[in-house]
Amino acid sequence: VGRNIPTGDALLSSLPKDLDSSVLGGQLVAIGRLWPGSGRMMRSYRIRVRVPRIDSKTTSAESDNSRPNIAPNSLPFTVELACKAFIVRSEEGETPLRMALTEGDAELKRLRSLLSDPAVHPHVLSYARWVVGQSSSPNSPSPTNTPVARPIYLLRQHAHASLSDRLMSRPFLTLIEKNWITYQLLKAVQSLHDAEVCHGHLTTENVLLTSWNWVLITDVGCQHYKPVVLPDDDPREWIHWFEGRGGEDARRENLGGHHRGNGEKKCCLAPERFYTPGFESGDTEGGEENDGRATAPKPSKLTPSMDVFSLGCILIELFLNGERALDLGDLMEYRRQGGDGSTQPQSLKQKLDKIESSKMRAACRHMLSLDPSSRLSPIEYLERLSSSSTKKKSGSAGGDESKNEKLTQQQSSTSAPVPPCFKSSLYPFMLRIRAQILSPEARLALVALNYGDILKATVGVNDEWGIAYFSRVLGPTLCRLENPLAGANSSKTGPVTRAVSERNQNDLSKLSLDELLHETEDLLRRLDSGMLVSNIENPPDKTDVALPKPLAVFDQFPQLSPGANWLSQPSPTQSSIIILLQVVFSSVGHVHRASSKFVALKMMHRIALFSSDEIRLQRIVPFVTSLLHDSEPIVRASGISVLSSVISLVSTFPPSDSQIFPRYVFKKVAHLITDASLIVRVAFAQNIAVLAETAQRFLDVGHSVSLYDAVAGRRSCDGNIRDNKAGTAAIFSEEAALLLGKQSSAADDIPVSSSNIDSSDAAATTIKSSYDSDLAVLHEVVFRWVVHITTDTSDHSSQSKQALLRGLP
């Protein structure tokens, strides 16, 4: 790089000059670095632009050539954009550089027109605009023999997080969420290949995730400026275009939070993209020094099999929680081995063995095949990861069997990583959210509308009570609008849904937009007031499910029976309900109406009844707790009711969560006892008994486990002591067995030393003392709440006292 060529730091200084208000359409407010980048000379930035609001009424009346009018009495709003910046240089002057920029501009326009439709390519986030910066030699117009370079800025919408960021963020992805991301990745790459587009550099950094875990692939088009093949004896080009940025630079600039520190060593390129200089034309001179590296010609363009190899590296990193699959050294060693690729590097074998699912492990191993012709297409891998893969393999053609023999042998008959509910219900539902730009309130309404169908497809439960509840929340307007889509499935829905569907067989063309908006606004006003009554004119027969009472803050859903906690070890299909729950979480943070948050809390409450304890404790409880500080009293009151109900459903939890009440829950709800709103104080008083009972149960279980581990040690489930051998002492002492309420059958046969008895007594005394102190803390907190309520002499204090008495068991 010459002295007059802009360096990487010069990109940041030249960005405000090149991206002025005429280019961005607004004022540039802030610039932040996104880590890691791609290559030494490529940077990713997050920029904030203050954009004026447009008066849509005056704009629609104007011609297309006129500038839109800015609304006179509206404040500007800020939008976030992502900017990929890199340098394009030429050693032969300005003319070749202009030709290269013209070709790149034509390619970016082609990709934007081809991939910008979310209905056709829902997983691609293409660049919306690009800008070529000023030349590095503005005062040297010599066309030849003068090194010249220009920065290019590619602009697109900013996403919630990259897959690399999400793997290191809490709450960590569950196994079913990783399978859901895998399902989308395979469909996304297949969508690109169907459009005859190859990405060229798939990594976890350019795979983006929305807040509701929808996969978006970006940086499509950057491959036009990058080389297709690289020399294997000189890493400078790989460092320049593909090596991730990080390490010392990130720590020195204090830009942490987006980089793990080892991303610069990761290499996701296919091995056929590297060549050995002198052997790229198939020359076999050199004997053993060739190592079989010239068996294939040097590729001249990107191929789909290259993306499949990169996809395999991404999947390994996904299931290993951010641990990279290969670095450049591992890839060079793998490539030098040659052959059919059956002998993979030892480090790669160890990482593949960490993947739990045998089918997913076999698919990742097959994607990393050294021979590009042996790799399958993404859709073929998706078929083999689905539940119908076993049946399809038996009926495949003979040629296909010989090609995929290794993959078939590696896959077992265990449960498929991709459950059928992904294709049947969840993906069409999520695709509708992606294709239709819906507001957060509309997304919640869509979740409520499809609640019954998705719950039936995932958990396998027909929740007629919940369907009836959310049908009343939606009202007749939305049910009437969705009737053409739901009419065909009316026989599979509950009786309340069928009644609404049969009543609303009207011609939608008779309804104007103003009438629909007026009816919707009226529905929301009644919902805000908590006085919504049923609008069903012809209710079902008495034999059908009973409709809930008019909506109120303290509506209680019918709880499951005590023995109905059948999701302690859910199947992959049953665990998929978390995908729907994530849509609710991502929407609640952006809604403006208190009624929408109220319905979302009820939705979390209902989904929690059919979720696992892990989802209840790790996802629902923290999110509901965050809503206890909402500005609307109805949200805070409903939040404490939902929190106490959900956490009381938890029956199994890790030992680390045994202190969740004194360290987390009680601290988060303590401010509600002095809340300014009466409805919040009444709701809190009504749930004190449930919180206290659940807190003591958590304490009892946690200390029982501690007592078992510290005093009794590890023993078999049947309570029998390990059979004695010569010189072997008993695992349990008689005193430890009595503490656990069990009989030690081998205590009389195996001598127990006095030191073991003393240590057991000491451990039991320590745990008992700790239990007494923890129980005293719980008693003190609850006692302080009860005293505050019972001694309150302010106006309307009697309602809180009555609620406290009603909540007692």
Side-chain angles (χ1 to χ4, degrees):
V1 179
R3 294 181 179 178
N4 57 346
I5 305 299
T7 62
D9 295 334
L11 281 172
L12 184 60
S13 59
S14 62
L15 193 147
K17 295 183 295 183
D18 294 331
L19 300 181
D20 54 12
S21 58
S22 61
V23 174
L24 298 175
Q27 181 184 359
L28 184 62
V29 177
I31 304 174
R33 181 78 63 81
L34 293 178
W35 289 94
S38 176
R40 289 293 178 89
M41 299 303 294
M42 303 188 76
R43 299 290 187 274
S44 296
Y45 303 98
R46 179 177 61 185
I47 61 178
R48 295 183 178 180
V49 182
R50 184 176 290 113
V51 182
R53 297 183 185 272
I54 305 300
D55 191 350
S56 58
K57 295 182 179 180
T58 58
T59 302
S60 60
E62 294 174 349
S63 62
D64 296 337
N65 297 327
S66 60
R67 296 178 59 87
N69 291 341
I70 299 176
N73 297 324
S74 62
L75 297 176
F77 63 98
T78 303
V79 297
E80 289 190 351
L81 302 175
C83 175
K84 172 78 74 173
F86 56 93
I87 304 295
V88 177
R89 59 174 298 175
S90 173
E91 299 289 346
E92 300 177 357
E94 186 74 20
T95 302
L97 180 62
R98 289 179 179 177
M99 294 178 60
L101 293 177
T102 302
E103 294 176 0
D105 181 75
E107 177 66 13
L108 289 173
K109 288 181 179 179
R110 184 185 73 88
L111 293 176
R112 183 176 61 181
S113 61
L114 183 65
L115 305 175
S116 59
D117 188 2
V120 181
H121 299 283
H123 295 286
V124 179
L125 187 60
S126 58
Y127 288 106
R129 197 166 187 179
W130 47 92
V131 179
V132 179
Q134 297 179 358
S135 174
S136 61
S137 302
N139 299 325
S140 301
S142 178
T144 59
N145 300 327
T146 302
V148 63
R150 284 193 177 188
I152 297 182
Y153 307 97
L154 307 178
L155 301 174
R156 60 166 172 82
Q157 179 184 358
H158 182 263
H160 174 70
S162 67
L163 181 57
S164 176
D165 296 335
R166 184 62 186 88
L167 289 174
M168 306 302 295
S169 304
R170 291 182 181 272
F172 297 124
L173 295 172
T174 62
L175 181 59
I176 194 63
E177 287 178 304
K178 295 177 182 178
N179 293 337
W180 171 243
I181 293 174
T182 301
Y183 178 84
Q184 296 180 80
L185 279 172
L186 292 171
K187 294 186 72 68
V189 178
Q190 184 63 45
S191 173
L192 285 175
H193 293 171
D194 290 341
E196 299 182 353
V197 175
C198 295
H199 189 282
H201 191 206
L202 283 171
T203 63
T204 54
E205 282 76 31
N206 49 43
V207 173
L208 308 179
L209 287 179
T210 64
S211 57
W212 37 285
N213 286 341
W214 185 261
V215 170
L216 296 171
I217 294 181
T218 187
D219 289 354
V220 182
C222 292
Q223 73 275 6
H224 178 78
Y225 301 95
K226 298 181 180 181
V228 176
V229 292
L230 304 168
D232 63 356
D233 61 347
D234 188 357
R236 285 182 298 178
E237 285 203 36
W238 178 79
I239 293 174
H240 182 90
W241 290 109
F242 298 101
E243 182 188 37
R245 294 281 296 177
E248 296 299 329
D249 292 339
R251 290 190 288 271
R252 182 170 61 251
E253 298 182 22
N254 194 21
L255 296 172
H258 292 276
H259 187 64
R260 301 188 300 274
N262 63 352
E264 69 277 3
K265 300 180 180 179
K266 179 173 58 179
C267 182
C268 298
L269 298 181
E272 61 267 21
R273 297 186 64 175
F274 292 87
Y275 70 95
T276 302
F279 300 101
E280 64 269 16
S281 298
D283 187 8
T284 58
E285 295 181 1
E288 295 180 356
E289 294 180 359
N290 188 3
D291 294 335
R293 286 171 283 181
T295 56
K298 183 172 66 173
S300 59
K301 63 178 182 178
L302 299 174
T303 60
S305 60
M306 297 177 182
D307 286 345
V308 172
F309 186 93
S310 301
L311 183 58
C313 296
I314 291 177
L315 295 184
I316 293 177
E317 188 173 349
L318 171 64
F319 285 93
L320 297 187
N321 299 320
E323 183 180 356
R324 64 175 180 265
L326 295 168
D327 57 22
L328 185 60
D330 295 334
L331 185 64
M332 293 298 101
E333 178 187 357
Y334 184 30
R335 179 175 172 269
R336 283 193 297 267
Q337 291 177 355
D340 57 354
S342 58
T343 57
Q344 296 174 334
Q346 185 65 27
S347 59
L348 181 59
K349 291 181 180 179
Q350 294 175 354
K351 293 174 182 178
L352 286 170
D353 292 338
K354 295 179 183 179
I355 300 178
E356 297 180 8
S357 172
S358 60
K359 289 189 176 183
M360 188 64 69
R361 190 187 317 123
C364 292
R365 182 181 290 110
H366 198 268
M367 288 180 183
L368 299 185
S369 299
L370 199 59
D371 183 10
S373 61
S374 64
R375 301 172 200 152
L376 307 180
S377 64
I379 195 63
E380 289 178 299
Y381 285 111
L382 184 58
E383 291 175 355
R384 283 156 177 77
L385 292 175
S386 63
S387 58
S388 59
S389 59
T390 303
K391 297 180 181 179
K392 292 185 178 181
K393 284 185 291 185
S394 60
S396 58
D400 186 65
E401 288 181 355
S402 61
K403 179 181 178 181
N404 308 326
E405 182 178 357
K406 294 183 180 180
L407 178 62
T408 304
Q409 292 175 354
Q410 291 171 342
Q411 289 179 338
S412 62
S413 59
T414 57
S415 60
V418 178
C421 64
F422 282 2
K423 181 179 180 181
S424 62
S425 60
L426 285 174
Y427 190 79
F429 171 77
M430 296 291 187
L431 184 61
R432 185 175 179 185
I433 296 180
R434 166 67 175 133
Q436 301 177 5
I437 304 177
L438 302 173
S439 65
E441 284 85 358
R443 290 183 181 180
L444 289 177
L446 193 61
V447 172
L449 186 70
N450 294 271
Y451 165 80
D453 295 335
I454 295 180
L455 190 69
K456 180 66 175 178
T458 55
V459 186
V461 175
N462 188 17
D463 184 17
E464 294 185 350
W465 205 99
I467 295 173
Y469 187 92
F470 293 122
S471 296
R472 293 181 53 249
V473 169
L474 294 174
T477 301
L478 189 55
C479 293
R480 192 159 56 239
L481 289 174
E482 294 293 334
N483 184 61
L485 298 178
N489 298 325
S490 60
S491 60
K492 300 180 181 180
T493 57
V496 176
T497 306
R498 291 197 302 269
V500 174
S501 177
E502 293 173 359
R503 189 187 70 256
N504 292 320
Q505 295 290 342
N506 299 325
D507 186 8
L508 297 180
S509 61
K510 298 179 180 179
L511 294 174
S512 64
L513 181 60
D514 294 337
E515 292 174 344
L516 292 176
L517 290 175
H518 176 74
E519 188 174 355
T520 303
E521 290 293 335
D522 181 65
L523 174 67
L524 291 174
R525 281 194 299 270
R526 287 182 288 155
L527 187 58
D528 282 331
S529 62
M531 299 297 293
L532 181 63
V533 296
S534 176
N535 289 315
I536 299 181
E537 300 173 359
N538 299 318
D541 298 334
K542 295 181 180 180
T543 57
D544 291 329
V545 60
L547 287 175
K549 298 176 181 179
L551 295 182
V553 176
F554 307 114
D555 278 348
Q556 298 294 330
F557 285 122
Q559 299 287 339
L560 298 178
S561 59
N565 191 17
W566 43 271
L567 282 180
S568 58
Q569 293 181 349
S571 65
T573 302
Q574 295 168 344
S575 301
S576 303
I577 193 65
I578 192 176
I579 299 173
L580 179 67
L581 193 62
Q582 191 63 35
V583 179
V584 180
F585 291 159
S586 64
S587 302
V588 172
H590 302 282
V591 297
H592 301 287
R593 292 182 176 272
S595 56
S596 300
K597 298 179 182 179
F598 175 78
V599 173
L601 282 169
K602 293 297 183 180
M603 202 173 301
M604 298 177 204
H605 187 189
R606 198 61 189 171
I607 293 176
L609 297 177
F610 308 101
S611 301
S612 63
D613 288 336
E614 181 182 3
I615 295 177
R616 294 167 182 163
L617 200 58
Q618 302 296 334
R619 298 295 180 92
I620 300 179
V621 168
F623 194 87
V624 174
T625 303
S626 66
L627 294 178
L628 297 180
H629 294 273
D630 193 84
S631 59
E632 295 293 335
I634 188 174
V635 178
R636 300 196 300 271
S638 181
I640 185 61
S641 301
V642 173
L643 174 64
S644 61
S645 178
V646 170
I647 203 169
S648 66
L649 297 173
V650 177
S651 59
T652 59
F653 52 89
S656 59
D657 290 334
S658 60
Q659 296 291 323
I660 188 176
F661 275 90
R663 296 180 181 178
Y664 180 73
V665 176
F666 282 171
K667 294 180 179 180
K668 293 295 183 180
V669 304
H671 67 283
L672 299 180
I673 195 171
T674 57
D675 195 277
S677 176
L678 175 62
I679 191 175
V680 179
R681 298 198 302 269
V682 171
F684 179 74
Q686 186 174 350
N687 289 278
I688 286 179
V690 178
L691 291 174
E693 183 181 4
T694 308
Q696 184 172 357
R697 178 167 58 85
F698 270 62
L699 180 64
D700 293 342
V701 174
H703 279 273
S704 297
V705 174
S706 300
L707 181 65
Y708 186 86
D709 291 340
V711 180
R714 304 282 185 183
R715 73 181 296 179
S716 58
C717 297
D718 56 1
N720 295 327
I721 298 179
R722 190 183 309 169
D723 201 5
N724 60 325
K725 297 182 180 179
T728 303
I731 298 178
F732 301 123
S733 64
E734 186 69 24
E735 289 79 3
L738 292 176
L739 284 174
L740 294 174
K742 300 178 180 179
Q743 297 296 328
S744 178
S745 60
D748 298 334
D749 299 334
I750 303 177
V752 180
S753 62
S754 59
S755 60
N756 291 337
I757 298 178
D758 295 339
S759 61
S760 300
D761 292 341
T765 303
T766 302
I767 293 176
K768 185 177 184 302
S769 175
S770 175
Y771 175 81
D772 293 339
S773 61
D774 291 342
L775 184 61
V777 171
L778 298 181
H779 285 169
E780 180 183 359
V781 173
V782 177
F783 178 76
R784 186 166 60 248
W785 290 344
V786 173
V787 169
H788 183 278
I789 294 176
T790 55
T791 59
D792 186 13
T793 58
S794 61
D795 296 340
H796 310 291
S797 61
S798 61
Q799 299 186 28
S800 299
K801 300 175 183 178
Q802 294 174 6
L804 177 64
L805 294 176
R806 286 195 302 267
L808 295 177

